[in-house]
Amino acid sequence: MEVGGDGDSGRKHFVLVHGLGHGAWCWYRVVTMLRAAGHRATALDMAASGAHPARLGEVRSFEDYSRPLLDAVAAAAPGERLVLVGHSLGGLNLALAMERFPRKVAAAVFLAACMPCAGKHMAITLEEFMRRITPEFFMDSKSIVLNTNQEPRTAILLGPKLMAEKLYDQSPKEDLTLATMLVRPGTQFIDDPIMKDETLLTDGNYGSVKRAFVVAMDDASSNQDMQRWIIDLSPGVEVEEIAGADHMAMCSKPRELCDVLLRIAAKYH
């Protein structure tokens, strides 16, 4: 999902990354609004997500999963600086791209997202989230053992009841219906070596990119306490709040989210 540029220096290019099991499709409202405001907007499918042709068992690593974003950032025109937006698990895709290509990123926005900090391993926020939830959290979601060329890996297919009660509970019913039709199995890659590497994210690269965290105030899956814990890992990060937003803030509060993104982007070049 992309629209071409026109060379206007005030025109931003937003690159949006979905969370677990989702795809570019979940950004359809916000992409439309950003484009209507005169900006470029590119919503990406990570590997084996959305309309991406790979199957999850074929995706060997978190880096392979992140490849669509890494390739998109690498391909940015000379002098172009992107505004990256990551939702939920998508924050970790952003972190990897920021570490690799810090000079191509004007700002990174973490929407109710995993936002790691330099000097600590990327999985720290995932581990804390898993520590806080109860075994019943995933409700009717299905656990799937992937057939891979490596050791067997487990994926999860988000269940309709989980999505209705903890992800899309403030969103239009049509968006929940769309999600039940389009979600695919996903994995957090929590045991991937890249997730355990405490030297991966550096102050000089990842830490040099301007970051903002957007709190979804009515998130029933990653509550405010969890989101504030993530923010506290990175003192000085800009914080915005969206009242009434569930975990899928791009569906429940698309106009408010678009306004926040435009406000953040206007500060950085």
Side-chain angles (χ1 to χ4, degrees):
M1 299 171 68
E2 187 172 3
V3 64
D6 64 5
D8 182 351
S9 61
R11 198 164 184 251
K12 306 296 184 183
H13 186 180
F14 295 86
V15 178
L16 304 112
V17 179
H18 59 83
L20 182 71
H22 284 67
W25 53 266
C26 70
W27 295 103
Y28 75 102
R29 294 177 187 272
V30 173
V31 165
T32 303
M33 291 175 182
L34 290 171
R35 291 177 180 175
H39 300 280
R40 291 183 73 188
T42 304
L44 297 173
D45 289 319
M46 295 300 98
S49 303
H52 191 280
R55 296 178 66 86
L56 192 57
E58 300 165 355
V59 181
R60 296 170 60 88
S61 66
F62 185 73
E63 173 145 359
D64 288 349
Y65 173 71
S66 305
R67 180 57 51 196
L69 174 63
L70 298 175
D71 288 350
V73 177
E80 182 181 22
R81 283 164 57 76
L82 307 171
V83 179
L84 304 184
V85 184
H87 175 244
S88 199
L89 180 67
L92 298 184
N93 304 112
L94 261 59
L96 193 56
M98 292 156 68
E99 179 61 33
R100 298 281 173 81
F101 307 106
R103 285 172 290 283
K104 289 181 175 285
V105 183
V109 183
F110 294 79
L111 172 60
C114 299
M115 183 177 70
C117 57
K120 295 187 185 296
H121 63 292
M122 280 215 302
I124 186 171
T125 55
L126 284 177
E127 291 166 357
E128 179 66 14
F129 176 75
M130 297 305 290
R131 186 186 70 78
R132 289 178 180 228
I133 63 174
T134 64
E136 299 79 31
F137 175 86
F138 288 103
M139 301 174 71
D140 59 334
S141 301
K142 295 178 181 176
S143 183
I144 301 166
V145 177
L146 300 174
N147 293 318
T148 72
N149 295 328
Q150 304 160 297
E151 294 181 4
R153 276 207 319 264
T154 302
I156 188 168
L157 180 62
L158 300 174
K161 188 173 182 184
L162 168 81
M163 289 194 288
E165 294 189 15
K166 295 184 178 176
L167 304 184
Y168 289 84
D169 49 297
Q170 303 295 322
S171 295
K173 297 300 184 188
E174 295 87 346
D175 289 315
L176 172 61
T177 301
L178 185 69
T180 61
M181 295 174 176
L182 294 179
V183 289
R184 292 176 64 178
T187 182
Q188 297 172 321
F189 294 93
I190 201 162
D191 294 320
D192 191 303
I194 208 169
M195 291 287 193
K196 305 290 188 182
D197 185 354
E198 296 193 349
T199 66
L200 177 73
L201 300 179
T202 62
D203 284 319
N205 289 343
Y206 172 75
S208 71
V209 178
K210 298 296 184 184
R211 283 179 287 161
F213 191 98
V214 180
V215 179
M217 298 287 280
D218 283 3
D219 190 335
S221 64
S222 180
N223 62 26
Q224 278 198 54
D225 285 347
M226 180 65 206
Q227 293 179 72
R228 302 288 178 190
W229 183 90
I230 293 171
I231 291 165
D232 289 345
L233 287 177
S234 301
V237 166
E238 181 178 352
V239 179
E240 294 271 1
E241 299 175 346
I242 301 180
D246 59 18
H247 190 62
M248 303 302 296
M250 68 286 281
C251 298
S252 58
K253 294 291 180 181
R255 169 51 58 196
E256 293 82 351
L257 175 57
C258 182
D259 290 345
V260 164
L261 295 179
L262 294 175
R263 190 159 62 241
I264 293 168
K267 300 178 184 177
Y268 305 113
H269 304 284

